[in-house]
């Protein structure tokens, strides 16, 4: 499997988390395009992802083109993957098993989990999603009308800031220049405009469409911190 490395650039000015993705800093971030996980081709619903970091946060920005934007779950750790959702999976040490996953729907509802062992958390990782990421920030901007399938929407955007201090595997440290993690961004899109009603995509071309496929880190790509 070819190694893919995404260079995550450092910024000196914190990003305002408002879902707009209009700060000049975002221009320093390389765009990640997504692949449809069945065919590894360009998905019908295009998604763009970007990552940056500073001394406190890992920032993730998404722009998800979507003709049918919807989501109803409002409670923390509801099974958001049953709705339109954008996701992040990260391992701070590529050689060790513990990993984090974050899923956020168009309402801004957060599902977050810290998984010491894959498969050991039950359905929807309900054992591990009792962990909540302290201090996580997120905001959504929607170009369209939420929860109205009769019209045609344009896109929704998501900004997320994850505090390094909240990731227990870092032991209170922040990344150094050149450090590498493993990660991928992913998406569930359920839409009346899709031929099969649903499309799964990821920024990694190596994700396989099997149970827990998004969680299997052998299909993830590398995140390299750059100052």
């Amino acid at each position: 499997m070819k190694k893919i490395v995404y260079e995550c650039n450092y910024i000196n000015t914190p990003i305002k988390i408002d879902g707009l993705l209009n700060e000049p800093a975002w221009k320093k971030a390389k765009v990640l395009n997504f692949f449809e996980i069945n065919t590894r081709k360009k998905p019908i619903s295009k998604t763009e992802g970007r990552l940056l970091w500073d001394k406190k946060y890992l920032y993730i920005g998404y722009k998800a083109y979507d003709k049918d934007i919807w989501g109803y779950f409002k409670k923390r750790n509801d099974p958001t993957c049953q709705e339109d959702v954008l996701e992040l999976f990260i391992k701070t040490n590529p050689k060790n098993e513990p990993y984090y996953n974050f899923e956020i729907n168009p309402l801004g509802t957060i599902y977050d989990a810290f998984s010491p062992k894959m498969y050991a958390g039950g359905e929807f990782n309900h054992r591990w999603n009792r962990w909540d990421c302290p201090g996580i920030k997120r905001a959504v901007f929607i170009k369209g009308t939420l929860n109205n399938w009769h019209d045609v929407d344009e896109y929704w955007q998501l900004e997320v800031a994850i505090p390094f201090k909240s990731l227990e595997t870092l032991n209170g440290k922040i990344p150094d220049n050149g450090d590498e993690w493993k990660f991928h961004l992913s998406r569930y899109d359920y839409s009346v405009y899709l031929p099969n009603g649903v499309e799964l995509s990821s920024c990694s071309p190596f994700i396989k469409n099997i149970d827990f496929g998004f969680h299997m880190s052998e299909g993830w790509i590398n995140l390299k911190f750059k100052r």
Side-chain angles (χ1 to χ4, degrees):
M1 183 184 297
K2 180 181 178 181
K3 181 179 179 180
I4 297 177
V5 179
Y6 178 86
E7 291 189 343
C8 184
N9 290 318
Y10 185 87
I11 55 174
N12 292 305
T13 303
I15 288 177
K16 181 181 179 181
I17 304 302
D18 55 13
L20 296 179
L21 299 175
N22 58 358
E23 288 87 356
W26 281 118
K27 294 181 180 179
K28 295 182 63 176
K30 180 181 177 182
V31 175
L32 283 162
N33 290 303
F34 282 40
F35 302 87
E36 200 279 324
I37 67 168
N38 289 318
T39 64
R40 299 183 182 179
K41 295 181 180 179
K42 181 179 178 180
I44 297 172
S45 297
K46 180 180 178 180
T47 312
E48 298 172 348
R50 298 169 175 83
L51 293 94
L52 295 167
W53 67 296
D54 64 15
K55 62 184 179 180
K56 291 184 178 181
Y57 296 99
L58 176 66
Y59 297 100
I60 309 94
Y62 306 78
K63 185 171 185 177
Y65 293 88
D66 195 334
K67 294 181 179 180
D68 180 19
I69 304 170
W70 67 280
Y72 295 97
F73 288 128
K74 296 181 179 180
K75 184 180 177 182
R76 185 75 169 250
N77 293 324
D78 275 341
T80 51
C81 65
Q82 295 179 353
E83 304 181 329
D84 284 350
V85 74
L86 295 166
E87 304 181 333
L88 165 70
F89 291 78
I90 52 174
K91 290 178 67 173
T92 61
N93 185 335
K95 297 180 180 179
N96 291 340
E97 186 163 20
Y99 69 95
Y100 304 85
N101 66 291
F102 301 86
E103 307 170 6
I104 300 176
N105 73 3
L107 288 172
T109 303
I110 299 172
Y111 174 102
D112 47 0
F114 171 59
S115 303
K117 184 75 174 177
M118 187 185 294
Y119 300 121
E123 188 176 11
F124 299 117
N125 264 352
H126 74 91
R127 182 183 184 186
W128 306 136
N129 69 22
R130 296 174 187 274
W131 174 83
D132 288 340
C133 181
I136 186 174
K137 301 178 182 179
R138 84 288 188 207
V140 174
F141 172 80
I142 295 174
K143 183 68 172 178
T145 53
L146 183 66
N147 294 331
N148 180 5
W149 62 270
H150 295 283
D151 66 357
V152 179
D153 303 317
E154 295 187 40
Y155 61 84
W156 59 293
Q157 294 181 163
L158 171 65
E159 274 183 314
V160 185
I162 297 173
F164 291 120
K165 68 179 182 181
S166 298
L167 303 179
E168 57 188 79
T169 52
L170 294 179
N171 297 312
K173 299 179 181 179
I174 68 169
D176 287 327
N177 181 47
D179 281 357
E180 288 193 20
W181 296 2
K182 292 199 76 174
F183 86 107
H184 82 112
L185 310 179
S186 53
R187 176 184 181 184
Y188 283 78
D189 182 29
Y190 300 89
S191 174
V192 296
Y193 298 102
L194 292 170
N196 297 320
V198 61
E199 182 177 67
L200 279 65
S201 58
S202 168
C203 71
S204 170
F206 308 127
I207 300 295
K208 297 180 180 179
N209 188 19
I210 57 177
D211 289 344
F212 255 59
F214 282 169
H215 295 251
M216 300 180 72
S217 61
E218 58 264 34
W220 303 1
I221 62 178
N222 287 59
L223 178 70
K224 185 174 183 177
F225 291 89
K226 183 179 179 181
R227 298 193 70 152

